[in-house]
Amino acid sequence: MSLGSLGSVSGSLSIDGNTSVGAVNINNLTTVGGDLIIADNTSATAVGLADLGAVAGSVTIDGNTSASVVNVNSLGSVAGVLSIDGNTSATVIDVNSLATVGGAVSL
């Protein structure tokens, strides 16, 4: 699934339970005004959010069991909880720019 033109979402964004999606790539998304949920896309081999800088709610990237890469390397701030969990094939989880999380962190 590619949403390459999507730059921002004023509310929440949820992509979950798509068991046949090969990848979730939203690499031009920069901001989410609510919660971001990318979960249980069990065939997705990658989760790409390369330009995501800020989320006004919580971030949940969980249960994408085939994803070998989870890329949120530009994410600087999360107002709520950050959960990147259960991505059991992941050999790379990049949160290199993360500076602020308003709630709990689970990696």
Side-chain angles (χ1 to χ4, degrees), residues 1 11 21 24 26 32 35 41-42 46 51 55-56 61-62 64 67 74 79 83 99 106:
M1 171 179 297
V21 169
V24 177
I26 318 170
V32 175
D35 295 331
N41 302 293
T42 55
D51 288 345
V55 176
I61 304 174
D62 290 348
N64 302 290
S74 295
S83 174
S106 175

Side-chain angles (χ1 to χ4, degrees), residues 67-72 84-85 87 90-96 107:
S68 60
V69 174
V70 176
N71 182 1
V72 285
I84 302 177
D85 226 350
N87 304 292
T91 56
V92 175
I93 298 175
D94 189 349
V95 289
N96 198 34
L107 297 175

Side-chain angles (χ1 to χ4, degrees), residues 4-93:
S5 300
L6 186 63
S8 66
V9 174
S10 59
S12 294
L13 174 62
S14 178
I15 300 172
D16 64 272
N18 299 292
T19 58
S20 62
V21 169
V24 177
N25 290 313
I26 318 170
N27 286 315
N28 290 325
L29 183 66
T30 58
T31 58
V32 175
D35 295 331
L36 173 65
I37 301 167
I38 300 177
D40 301 320
N41 302 293
T42 55
S43 295
T45 58
V47 175
L49 296 156
D51 288 345
L52 183 64
V55 176
S58 293
V59 174
T60 302
I61 304 174
D62 290 348
N64 302 290
T65 55
S66 297
S68 60
V69 174
V70 176
N71 182 1
V72 285
N73 65 325
S74 295
L75 185 62
S77 66
V78 176
V81 171
L82 172 64
S83 174
I84 302 177
D85 226 350
N87 304 292
T88 54
S89 296
T91 56
V92 175
I93 298 175

